[in-house]
Every structure is written in structure tokens, then in C-alpha cells.
Amino acid sequence: MRTSISYVAACSALLLNSLVLATLPGFRTAITEKGFDYVRSVGIPILEKELSGMTIPDENGKASSPIGKIAYTVSSIKGGALTIPTSSITLAAGSGITIATSGASLAVTANWHYRMDSWPHTSDHGSCDVKVSGVSLTFSVTLGKDSSGHATVSAGSCHADIGHMDITFHGGASWLYNLFSSTIASSLKGSLADQACSQGKDAINTQANKAVETLPVTVNLDESALVNYALIDAPTFTSTYLETQHKGEFFLRADPTSEAPFSPNALPAISSPADMMYVWLTEYMANTAGYVYCKSNTLHNLITPDMVPASIRDKFSLNTTAFKLFVPALYEKYPNQAMTLFVNNTAPINVSMAAGSIVGVIPGTVQVNVVNADNSSTSAFILNAVVHFNATVGIKADGGKTLVVGQAYYLSTDLSLKSSAIGSISVLGLHRAFIASC
């Protein structure tokens, strides 16, 4: 019994651990209040455009007038250009964002018609101009994710306040409508507020979702690999930033569901963000790239004599004569013959990251070939080579695009002899020649 309980407990612990690891991101972003200020500067003009030209449902009602009770209709109510002078976006911890606008103004045109309730049922019609000012709108917005890892945007509550409305009627018995314009204005305010909320929420739910739906969750990098940026959880909010966590893993295009045989480590907590946006690229993401490219068998290169930089050809060339002092046996067997180097990655590149530094290791082999008179090649010897490097990664703006850029720096190479077709070789003597050729 004790053994069974222990077994169940152990299995449960392993399962829990695997689930925790599976939810850790390989890629993370944080957008701060400064970042949302930029979003606001881009988004408010879109909201102005969506709300401009709005069509408001016809207004029907009854009112008392100097000529008796009348039934009236205000129809073809259409808004003109909307101007929003003041706006803000605030973050609400645990819930989402709040978009607030104030001081907005709007011009509206419409047609009017009335008919007396009693005989002789006199009627008339004309047009009217409506000036709306002091309009305030407040939307709550939540972000989530769908089953494919795309972000989703959803408008929640909305409150609209129509500050002041002035109606002027034209044509026909306009003087009559002007006597009770305040009654109609009160009714129109409610319709305008409802319509502003309806169209504003529709703009958020449709236009914003269309925008995020176009953001890819996978990107094909080349014929071998793709990178998966899908959200692994819904975005989270604090009072100062929005955080998104992404899968951040490279996959073989031929096998886009096969996971790397290792898991990401936990990322440090975000503290005191001051810039608009932050991006965390993890060593897990880099190492899945190394794993995928090694598995695809595409990390190899044949270095030929013409690929040696012109600046060093007077000191070094891929010819057995240049290796005479380093590998005498090579020159003795193949005097004054051209050479090639076949460099091949044999195990996944491993990258480790610490504050301010990236260090990597590339395991591989270097096959030294001799070019024969008929242009065929003969393998002379093969070296095991482990290259150590460090690197820097940053973000660069380029023509309206934001690019992740990096630069690697060579540190050192560990060499050992794997096999030889020309007898004993001094690896120590080869080291300088190898570095010069790379």
C-alpha cells in the first residue's frame, strides 16, 4: 500500500512539474504606460474616424405646442466629423485597460416632420442642425487569447455622457420645433450616447481584433525552421504595465509540433519598467534554434580557396604549401595542392545568458580535403572542433520596422584529432592555421 501511494505521489509530482514547465515562456514582452500612450496616439484617430459619420436611429415622439399636441419624427440623423481633444489610457491591475475621452464635439444633420394629432392634422417638414459638445466616452477593454495563441480584444462596459446639445430647425414651421427643441434634444442625447457606445464597442471588437488577428503566431524563417510566438496564456495587467508570455520556440517546418527535449527556465520578475516596451529573448529560444538547425542538418559549409579573405591571402591560403610547417605529412603526401575545409555542426549549439552577456558553444567537425588534379577531393584528416563565442542582441528601428539584431564575437576553439589518413598530426601546430582560415 505504501509503495502504491509513493508511486502515485511521485507520478503526480512529475506531472505537476511538467505542467509548470510547459507554461513557462520562451519569449516575453511588457508594454508600459508610456507604450500605451503611443497606442493612444495611434488609436484615438481611428476611433474618431469610426465614430465620425455615425447614423443615429430615427427619433419619434409627441409634444405639446401652441397649435396643440403633435407627433414628430427626426429622421436621417447623421453625424459629421468627431473631434476628441483629450484622451487617456489607464491600466487596471488584473482586468485590462480603460480608454477615456472628454471634451469631444460633433456636428449632426437631420430632417424633421410633424403632424397634429387632431383635425385638421396639419403637417410640415424641414431640416435641422445639431451641435454637440462636451462629449465624454469611457470604455473598458480586456485582452485574452484564443485556442491558436492569437490575442483577442473585447470591449466591456461603456459610458457616454453628452454634455451639451443645441438644435436649430430650418424650413416649414421651424419656429414651432424651436419652441420645444430642448425636449427633442433630451431624447436625442440618449440615442446619441447609446449609438456612440455601440459603434465604439464595435470598433474595438471588430477593428482591433482584425488587427491582432493579422499578427502571426508562427513565422517561417527559411526552408528548415519556423519560430512560434503564440501566446501561452492571456495577457496580464498590473497598474504600470501589460505583460505577454509567448511560446518562443523554434520548430522544424517539416515537423512543427515536435517539441525540443528541454524546457525554459523561469524568467525574473519585471521591476520598475520605465521605457515604452521591453522584450525578453531567452536562452531557451536560442537553444531551440540550435536544436532545430542541427536536427535539420543544414549547419554546414564548404570553405574553398576563393573564400579566403583577400586581405590575408598573402599570409595564408588553402594550399598544402601553406600548411607545410603545421602539418608536414600533409605537404609530403600532397605537395602544392589546393585544399577545402568542410565545416559541419554535429550537436546543437548551446547558449547561456546572464546579465549583459551571451555565451555560446558550437560543437562540430572540420574535414580537411585535398583537391586532386581531376577536381575530385580526398579527405586527409578530420578535426573535432568546439567553438566558443559571445554575442550581443538588441532592437533596432529600420524604416518603420522594429528588428531584433545581434552580433557574435569569436572567443576560442578547442581542437582534437578525430581521424587521419596521413598519419600522426600535431593538433597544437594546427590551431593557429585553423583560426586563420576561419
Side-chain angles (χ1 to χ4, degrees), residues 356-373:
S357 67
I358 301 173
V359 178
V361 177
I362 308 175
T365 59
V366 180
Q367 179 175 312
V368 179
N369 304 310
V370 175
V371 181
N372 300 312

Side-chain angles (χ1 to χ4, degrees), residues 289-325:
Y291 173 77
V292 164
Y293 280 107
C294 180
K295 193 174 180 180
S296 68
N297 195 32
T298 57
L299 294 182
H300 51 72
N301 190 30
L302 181 67
I303 301 175
T304 58
D306 60 309
M307 295 170 66
V308 176
S311 59
I312 65 170
R313 286 178 189 170
D314 58 334
K315 298 178 181 178
F316 174 84
S317 64
L318 281 179
N319 187 285
T320 56
T321 303
F323 284 75
K324 184 176 182 180
L325 295 176

Side-chain angles (χ1 to χ4, degrees), residues 140-152:
S140 65
V141 180
T142 58
L143 301 181
K145 83 171 189 72
D146 62 18
S147 58
S148 67
H150 280 98
T152 59

Side-chain angles (χ1 to χ4, degrees), residues 358 391-396 403-409:
I358 301 173
T392 59
V393 176
I395 295 177
K396 176 183 178 182
L403 305 177
V404 177
V405 297
Q407 187 169 2
Y409 303 89

Side-chain angles (χ1 to χ4, degrees), residues 248-260:
E249 181 175 351
F250 283 70
F251 288 88
L252 282 170
R253 288 185 63 177
D255 188 10
T257 60
S258 182
E259 303 273 352

